[in-house]
């Protein structure tokens, strides 16, 4: 399929090229690295303990399927989500409706917060957005996810701008 045909086909626009995918993964890697630092240091200082996405994953599998997931697999799923799945979501968002850079990153980051704590947390038996359980942790998660989206967007856009 030629580039002109791909640009005119809305479905084809949703599929990243290998170059786009590499840049998305590098952006996801940088953003996940930032999120891990945020989750373990400033969050622990402010909320009293760190954000632990693997614990959410373990709780989700246990609550929904009655399956005990080892720490290493929960961490792997968290990293794969940060390196691949969330960057692909960012790609889809910016292909469907872009608000411009850096707003796309901030918006996608907030969306990932709602995916994690608005959708998956209740499925794991936790309160929606952790409201009432630990509001400080919820706030730090929101900030961390928003920054994740921003870092993802900045790195991705910088790499895409290179020839």
């Amino acid at each position: 399929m030629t580039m002109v045909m791909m640009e005119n086909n809305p479905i084809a626009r949703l599929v990243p090229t290998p170059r786009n995918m590499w840049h998305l993964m590098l952006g996801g890697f940088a953003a996940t690295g930032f999120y891990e630092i945020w989750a373990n240091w400033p969050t622990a200082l402010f909320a009293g303990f760190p954000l632990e996405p693997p614990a959410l994953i373990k709780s989700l599998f246990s609550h929904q399927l009655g399956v005990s997931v080892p720490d290493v697999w929960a961490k792997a799923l968290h990293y794969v989500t940060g390196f691949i799945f969330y960057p692909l979501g960012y790609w889809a968002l910016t292909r469907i409706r872009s608000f411009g850079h850096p707003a796309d990153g901030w918006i996608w980051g907030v969306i990932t917060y709602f995916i994690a704590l608005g959708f998956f947390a209740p499925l794991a038996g936790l309160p929606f957005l952790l409201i009432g359980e630990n509001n400080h942790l919820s706030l730090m998660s929101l900030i961390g996810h928003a920054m994740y989206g921003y870092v993802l967007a900045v790195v991705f856009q910088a790499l895409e701008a290179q020839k």
Side-chain angles (χ1 to χ4, degrees), residues 28-104:
F29 183 78
T32 301
F34 173 85
Y35 183 86
E36 286 298 310
I37 292 168
W38 178 264
N40 286 290
W41 183 61
T43 298
L45 290 174
F46 181 71
F49 46 90
L51 285 163
E52 297 187 37
L56 174 62
I57 292 168
K58 290 174 71 169
S59 182
L60 176 66
F61 276 85
S62 176
H63 193 75
Q64 290 297 315
L65 303 172
V67 175
S68 178
V69 177
D71 285 340
V72 67
W73 289 109
K75 286 179 184 181
L77 184 54
H78 168 61
Y79 292 138
V80 166
T81 299
F83 298 162
I84 298 172
F85 296 129
Y86 277 178
L88 284 172
Y90 167 79
W91 172 267
L93 170 75
T94 59
R95 296 308 162 280
I96 294 168
R97 175 66 172 104
S98 178
F99 296 92
H101 179 66
D104 289 336

Side-chain angles (χ1 to χ4, degrees), residues 11 24 26 29 37 50 57 61-63 65 73 105 108 113 119 127-128 138-139 144 150-151:
I11 301 298
L24 286 166
L26 290 173
F29 183 78
I37 292 168
I57 292 168
F61 276 85
S62 176
H63 193 75
L65 303 172
W73 289 109
W108 180 245
Y113 165 75
F119 182 73
F128 176 75
S138 183
L139 175 63
Y150 177 77
V151 171

